[in-house]
Amino acid sequence: MDVLVCLKRVPLAGGALILTPDSRDIETKHLGFGISPHEENAVEAGVQLVEQMGGTLTLLTLGPSDAEEQLRSQLAIGATRAVLIETDGQEWDPQGTASALVEAINADATKFDLIIFGAESADSAGYQIHIRIAHALNRPIITNVKSMRVENGVVNCERVVSDGREHYEAPLPAIITVRDGLNIPRYPSVPGRMQARKKTVEVKQAESRLPKLEKVKLSLAPSKDKGAEILGKGTDAVPALVEVLKSIGAF
Amino acid sequence: MILVLIDHDRGEIDSLSLRALTAARGLGQDIEAVVIGSQGAALAGLIGEFGAKVLHVAQHDLITDYTPMASGRALKDLVEKLSPAAVLAAGTPRGNEQLAHLAAFLDVPMAAECLEIALGHPHQVLRARWAGNLIESANVHEELLIATVNNFSFEAISVSGAAATVAVFTPALEPQDYVVKILSRGSAQTKAGVTLNDAKVIVSGGRGVGGADGFGNLEDLAALLGGAVGCSRVVTSSGWRPHAEQVGQTGTKVAPDLYIAAGISGAMQHIAGMKNSKTIVVINTDPEAPILRYADYAIIGDLHQIIPALTSAIRQAKG
Ligand SMILES: Cc1cc2nc3c(=O)[nH]c(=O)nc-3n(C[C@H](O)[C@H](O)[C@H](O)COP(=O)(O)OP(=O)(O)OC[C@H]3O[C@@H](n4cnc5c(N)ncnc54)[C@H](O)[C@@H]3O)c2cc1C
Ligand SMILES: Nc1ncnc2c1ncn2[C@@H]1O[C@H](COP(=O)(O)O)[C@@H](O)[C@H]1O
């Protein structure tokens, strides 16, 4: 079974975001980089499938040359090889990204049985790159998968909705998009990290084109300090909290 | 004309679609709506109230339940027939998915999670990024605007309109459109009791809880208040609690009457899932923890002492 996972390098920001002076990007001077939790689950799912069924796991990203860092760290948890479509560092629009990824997938010597995406990217959350790729490759796509298994050439998936679960399946070759909680991604082992350094990252170039969804600028969403009332320190403050909870009808 | 996709589950409307209708009215054009599947026809009265003049119903023997690629094909057929200026839907998993299929069929852009929309050349939108922490201003260079609407930016406001006129059409489906469909449904995998979605009280724990065992105290407090236990992503990725309990961007978004956050620092991805709670109480050893900005009340201190003390004090107060 040959599996492909598509991932995107994003800054790892947890606290307040800061913008670059031209307001076009997040200031990343003091930030590390990673991939979305959904995509970590996608890689783990790919590693597990190859462990169970044999075959290969390829990683594919479109991004700056530094995105090799994210490919290496995911190679360390067990992927076979990786492909980087190198850009000048600007984020491409969804149509441009999807068509470059499609070109790379079609050019690859491996014919992937299953392609796994994150449900949405951590930064831009466009909810579409995978669906565009499914159309271009004429493959079935099941999105927002929370549990899956592959059997007899069919991928069986469950999607969680507010009042329960929905069951879908599709014949391979297929595409799925997965959500955080699908599995618990493993940490890379020391030998895993050593091997990752020797694995191939094939670098390709692609022509950028004018974006049809053109990012003009970013701004920070307004958020104001609610001005919490500090009830006190330690257990001494518990009676005050009990009063508050009573007054709002919590018991 | 603006075309709005009204999403429904076997005839039951997703009420967030009504927000998309309200957003569409702001664009100053006639509104028409579309439902995929004949069970949606019964919604003509309701969606008329929210301003749609016509309800197009995509009817096909093979569309009896959610079939996202077939939805995209039906929308494509209708768009080619009616040439609307824009197609809108709610920014929900299903709204985003069905419009992405439409955008892929037509090979045109789609702007997800819009807070504001202005039609023009180019169209201009504001859309949410980073779980709503960043707002992107973007130009859409295409005749047809395809966009989903951020649910927090619009309320559903009725204009008491008359029932929409029903217009049935049959999309020309291709075999690949109905390969992926719902085959069966099951109940939620959570334990019996209150789920995060309908809990009025959530007692949520983060890394500060220290391990799976530490959650016993949070469970006791939640049970006493008739609520549910929630947690941060550090907790689920450490395997201390099941993912169904994770609150945040990639977990569940909640808005209970009371949210108690113990040992949670307040990363923006966690905040994105709980900031709409009515009352937020924080228990944290760090008086500088970012989550305090979002809190109504806080106790600075060790949750391992405070939570059991709180549980027994409430028990006493209840008598
Ligand atoms: C794309 C993306 C999506 C994400 N989605 C989510 C999501 O859905 N949900 C989510 O939660 N996170 C999510 N995260 C992760 C998020 O960025 C943070 O890493 C995570 O929320 C931090 O969890 P925490 O607050 O429990 O841990 P920490 O940030 O480590 O905070 C622990 C807190 O506990 C306090 N503390 C320690 N000991 C005690 C004690 N004895 N008593 C009281 N307080 C104590 C500390 O002062 C600190 O404030 C996401 C990240 C990314 C990049
Ligand atoms: N630049 C990229 N390179 C490779 N895969 C990507 C890229 N951008 C997005 N993806 C994949 O597409 C998914 C959906 O992205 P989006 O449509 O931006 O929400 C992500 O979770 C990734 O799996």
Side-chain angles (χ1 to χ4, degrees), chain B residues 206-207 232-233 246-250 263 265 269-270 284 302-303:
Chain B
R207 194 198 303 271
S232 73
R233 180 158 193 272
Q246 181 180 315
V247 172
Q249 180 181 349
T250 57
S265 65
Q269 295 90 356
H270 188 82
N284 201 302
D302 183 354
L303 69 91

Side-chain angles (χ1 to χ4, degrees), chain B residues 132-178:
Chain B
N133 290 282
L134 273 190
I135 298 167
E136 171 186 356
S137 136
N139 290 337
V140 182
H141 300 277
E142 183 70 45
E143 256 300 286
L144 172 69
L145 174 68
I146 298 181
T148 65
V149 166
N150 181 271
N151 298 319
F152 294 111
S153 306
F154 299 90
E155 291 196 43
I157 301 166
S158 160
V159 286
S160 311
T165 314
V166 172
V168 178
F169 71 106
T170 302
L173 298 188
E174 300 282 341
Q176 67 265 30
D177 300 343
Y178 42 86

Side-chain angles (χ1 to χ4, degrees), chain A residues 8 10-17 19 25-26 36-38 40-41 91 93-95 120-128 130-135 138-144 146-147 156 158-171 179-182 184-185 187 209 211-235 237-239 241-242 244-248 250-251, chain B residues 9-10 66 68-69 93-94 96-98 100-105 107-113 122 125 127-142 176 179-189 195 197 201 221 224-225 233 236-239 243-244 246 249-251 257-258 260 266-269 275 277-281 283 290 292-302 305-306 309-311 313-314 317-318:
Chain A
K8 182 180 187 184
V10 295
L12 286 180
L17 295 167
L19 299 179
D25 283 296
I26 296 174
S36 154
H38 300 318
E40 288 177 11
N41 284 274
E91 186 185 56
D93 83 332
Q95 284 170 283
E120 75 267 354
S121 55
D123 56 348
S124 100
Y127 300 93
Q128 57 189 276
H130 28 61
I131 290 178
R132 291 183 187 280
I133 292 175
H135 281 245
N138 195 18
R139 289 187 178 200
I141 175 165
I142 305 174
T143 63
N144 291 296
K146 269 300 251 301
S147 105
N156 277 280
E158 256 176 27
R159 161 160 167 161
V160 174
V161 289
S162 61
D163 58 350
R165 291 170 288 137
E166 297 169 347
H167 170 217
Y168 297 81
E169 58 185 43
R179 295 199 68 81
D180 190 11
L182 176 78
I184 300 182
Y187 288 105
R209 55 184 206 196
K212 288 194 168 179
L213 177 64
E214 180 200 6
K215 177 170 81 176
V216 179
K217 76 177 186 46
L218 301 176
S219 56
L220 301 173
S223 96
K224 65 171 205 295
D225 194 326
K226 269 171 112 182
E229 181 180 342
I230 309 289
L231 299 169
K233 287 208 166 96
T235 46
V238 166
L241 181 53
V242 172
V244 165
L245 297 187
K246 204 182 209 165
S247 73
I248 63 168
F251 70 90
Chain B
D9 181 8
R10 292 157 289 165
Y66 186 56
M69 194 177 277
R94 283 169 60 149
N96 286 324
E97 178 171 42
Q98 293 172 93
H101 275 291
L102 169 65
F105 271 124
D107 193 21
V108 300
M110 163 171 115
E113 301 285 338
V125 299
R127 59 175 296 265
R129 279 186 170 241
W130 282 102
N133 290 282
L134 273 190
I135 298 167
E136 171 186 356
S137 136
N139 290 337
V140 182
H141 300 277
E142 183 70 45
Q176 67 265 30
V179 170
V180 172
K181 53 179 182 281
I182 297 179
L183 296 172
S184 61
R185 290 183 164 81
S187 53
Q189 260 167 331
T195 65
N197 275 313
V201 176
L221 178 58
L224 187 60
L225 297 173
R233 180 158 193 272
T236 53
S237 57
S238 308
H243 190 271
Q246 181 180 315
Q249 180 181 349
T250 57
D257 291 342
L258 172 64
I260 301 179
M268 63 176 183
Q269 295 90 356
K275 65 179 171 201
S277 308
K278 227 184 247 159
T279 301
I280 296 175
V281 173
I283 300 170
L292 288 167
R293 282 175 59 83
Y294 301 88
D296 298 283
Y297 302 96
I299 298 183
I300 306 305
D302 183 354
Q305 292 165 5
I306 292 164
L310 180 60
T311 307
I314 293 172
K318 280 178 120 174

Side-chain angles (χ1 to χ4, degrees), chain B residues 14 38 40-41 53 75 92 109 140 146 151 203 206 230 252 263-264 275 305:
Chain B
D14 176 356
S38 50
K53 298 251 171 11
L75 291 169
T92 57
V140 182
I146 298 181
N151 298 319
V203 181
T252 305
I264 296 176
K275 65 179 171 201
Q305 292 165 5

